[in-house]
Amino acid sequence: MDAKTCLEKCRLVGVLSFATVDGEGNPQIRCISAIHFEEDGFYFFTARGKNFCRELLENGKVQILAYTRFKEMIRLSAKASPVPEAEQEEKINRIFDEQPYLANVYPGGTRKIGIVFEVKNAEIEYFHLGVNPIFRESYTLGAGVVSEKGYYITDSCIGCGKCRNNCPQSCIVQGKPYRISQKHCLHCGSCYESCPVGAVRKRDGKGKAVRKRDRK
Ligand code: SF4
Ligand code: SF4
């Protein structure tokens, strides 16, 4: 798996969910199929009057999700930017050519109320629940950065094996210390809760470790 294949899977899914946060801090999700894919990213269409557009223009932060019928999740934590004014018309027309239903939604020249954003920088998380063991991996698009998540085991491990016995994916390997096979980890937290000496740490997604006693 790689970023390019993830994009191709997104294209095949066709309708992607886009999540932003509004001015009151509330989550907002929209499904969008007005998308043109390229090898290194994609373009999507919305209308300038929509709250979605305003939220994107404020900081560009968006999470985009595709879920295939094979139980593959592809999540992009991305930065969306409006394409330059000089390219807007060409990009709008391209998306309308690829998605004929849009001519019914915005007939004739009314498509000019549209705006096209591009996604060229993102962290991509691929999570496949349809295989045994489950599989996950992260990739980047453009200047995207992978944020470390999940759990790891420190040198405080005493080798009791409780984490391994409680792991639903059997993805903890014996050793000194025991080790989590990250590609097959669910991030379920069972090992974290079952370790008697607090040797399992949780990553906060920003590179920091969270000790068991720090949990809120
Ligand atoms: Fe090591 Fe904790 Fe796992 Fe026991 S439960 S093997 S101490 S990490
Ligand atoms: Fe196993 Fe869950 Fe711990 Fe991952 S988080 S190693 S799946 S128990």
Side-chain angles (χ1 to χ4, degrees):
M1 190 57 56
D2 53 28
K4 191 175 155 192
T5 310
C6 284
L7 282 183
E8 178 61 12
K9 286 179 182 288
C10 287
R11 189 185 69 77
L12 291 170
V13 168
V15 183
L16 308 184
S17 302
F18 287 65
T20 54
V21 176
D22 69 18
E24 282 73 53
N26 298 312
Q28 302 287 346
I29 299 182
R30 294 85 176 177
C31 289
I32 296 180
S33 59
I35 306 171
H36 166 67
F37 286 90
E38 295 191 348
E39 278 201 355
D40 60 347
F42 57 86
Y43 299 87
F44 63 92
F45 173 96
T46 185
R48 290 194 301 276
K50 290 183 181 287
N51 290 343
F52 179 45
C53 178
R54 191 184 65 222
E55 288 151 17
L56 290 174
L57 290 174
E58 276 168 8
N59 63 23
K61 285 185 183 173
V62 61
Q63 270 205 340
I64 302 159
L65 192 74
Y67 198 82
T68 75
R69 67 191 184 94
F70 304 109
K71 314 302 177 198
E72 298 162 288
M73 182 207 76
I74 299 152
R75 179 168 57 200
L76 286 84
S77 299
K79 181 96 175 158
S81 318
V83 303
E85 194 54 44
E87 297 172 30
Q88 283 285 341
E89 187 176 352
E90 184 260 323
K91 291 291 186 300
I92 289 174
N93 289 341
R94 181 173 300 197
I95 290 172
F96 272 62
D97 285 348
E98 292 179 9
Q99 305 284 340
Y101 80 93
L102 287 169
N104 174 51
V105 184
Y106 292 100
T110 64
R111 68 177 68 176
K112 288 182 182 163
I113 193 61
I115 178 170
V116 173
F117 288 83
E118 64 179 15
V119 172
K120 299 258 173 156
N121 301 298
E123 172 189 11
I124 303 177
E125 294 168 81
Y126 175 79
F127 190 30
H128 195 347
L129 292 175
V131 289
N132 187 9
I134 66 96
F135 178 81
R136 68 161 69 243
E137 212 162 46
S138 293
Y139 320 100
T140 56
L141 208 57
V145 176
V146 170
S147 52
E148 298 286 337
K149 295 176 186 164
Y151 297 84
Y152 67 99
I153 297 173
T154 66
D155 287 341
S156 319
C157 170
I158 56 172
C160 70
K162 283 191 180 165
C163 56
R164 194 160 181 261
N165 294 338
N166 286 294
C167 175
Q169 284 295 310
S170 303
C171 66
I172 299 178
V173 183
Q174 277 181 303
K176 292 182 181 175
Y178 275 42
R179 181 178 58 79
I180 294 172
S181 178
Q182 298 293 339
K183 287 187 177 181
H184 305 300
C185 174
L186 286 165
H187 296 179
C188 71
S190 178
C191 52
Y192 183 70
E193 294 196 0
S194 58
C195 179
V197 295
V200 183
R201 300 281 171 83
K202 178 177 170 62
R203 293 190 175 97
D204 67 352
K206 297 171 191 153
K208 291 184 192 152
V210 181
R211 292 171 67 94
K212 191 173 176 183
R213 64 169 177 266
D214 297 334
R215 278 185 300 159
K216 300 217 167 77

